[in-house]
Amino acid sequence: MMLLAIDCGNTNTVFSIWDGSTFLCTLRTSTHHARTADAYFTWFSTLVKHYGIEADITDVIISSTVPRVVFNLRVFADRFFGCRPMVVGKPECLLPQPPRVDPGTQVGPDRLVNTAGAYDRHGGDLIVVDFGTATTFDVVAHDGAYVGGVIAPGVNLSLEALHTAAAALPHVDVTMPQKVIGTNTVECMQSGVFWGYVGLVTGICDRIRAEYERPMRIIGTGGLAPLFAQGEMLFDSIEDDLTMHGLAVIHDYNKKAENA
């Protein structure tokens, strides 16, 4: 079996090839709802060939927070790999533990996948902090169920809003400043964003722990997680491939259910 795991976020779409024991490669492209199945395959096959990977894809699983891209990804899987992909969040794609939330609530597929991946690696009673387009906090119960969380504006989204709303403020890179008190505009903005998000993560996680009333570990993921771990004990663990691992876990669970 060779699994292609696809995680489609609001900003980027990531493709990873899983051979059953390790990820052979991870490829990233911008998310664009009008990209056709043929365009996906041209891009994908070119990079796989460039890296010299022999990948005979037999299965595909998709997690997407952008519903409009799913159709073309389904066509991509069917046309070029001859398989019907699993889509996280659809009724036919089973979860190791169903979420326990208010009736009628649609939980983002990325949050379900992160929950499955984190529980598989760390067990239950977790807070998963994912630095994506939004910064999300997912609470994983003792049995691996998603039981709720928090959604806050993402770091880059906040920077873009600051630049857009205040014409005199420039675009800046997210980095850890040398000091809190900035002595120029760029340093002031970098300090506000960096230390502001350190405070946000610390404050929300403290409040979740107090409300949950059990010891909890904090798992960081997403591109900016290592940056915000600098100099601060924010996370018990950082997992850069947590979403992809979660997709592999959910795929394996469904395959076992089919063969049971």
Side-chain angles (χ1 to χ4, degrees), residues 135-199:
T135 301
T136 59
F137 300 74
D138 301 324
V139 178
V140 184
H142 67 281
D143 60 350
Y146 171 87
V147 292
V150 176
I151 301 174
V155 179
N156 289 313
L157 196 63
S158 295
L159 277 173
E160 184 63 30
L162 193 61
H163 170 73
T164 301
L169 297 180
H171 282 289
V172 299
D173 294 327
V174 184
T175 186
M176 180 179 176
Q178 296 298 311
K179 52 188 180 179
V180 176
I181 302 172
T183 52
N184 58 63
T185 302
V186 170
E187 287 182 357
C188 289
M189 292 176 68
Q190 289 175 331
S191 183
V193 170
F194 183 86
W195 294 114
Y197 270 85
V198 168

Side-chain angles (χ1 to χ4, degrees), residues 43-108:
W43 167 82
F44 177 79
S45 59
T46 299
L47 283 180
V48 167
K49 183 177 180 181
H50 171 76
Y51 288 116
I53 296 169
E54 295 292 332
D56 184 15
I57 305 297
T58 58
D59 296 77
V60 177
I61 185 169
I62 300 167
S63 168
S64 177
T65 58
V66 186
R68 288 192 295 174
V69 305
V70 174
F71 175 77
N72 282 328
L73 288 172
R74 283 183 181 272
V75 175
F76 166 70
D78 178 63
R79 181 177 298 167
F80 297 105
F81 306 121
C83 68
R84 177 182 175 86
M86 293 181 192
V87 179
V88 178
K90 298 297 183 183
E92 61 271 18
C93 183
L94 305 177
L95 298 171
Q97 284 288 349
R100 294 197 289 273
V101 293
D102 292 344
T105 300
Q106 291 286 334
V107 181

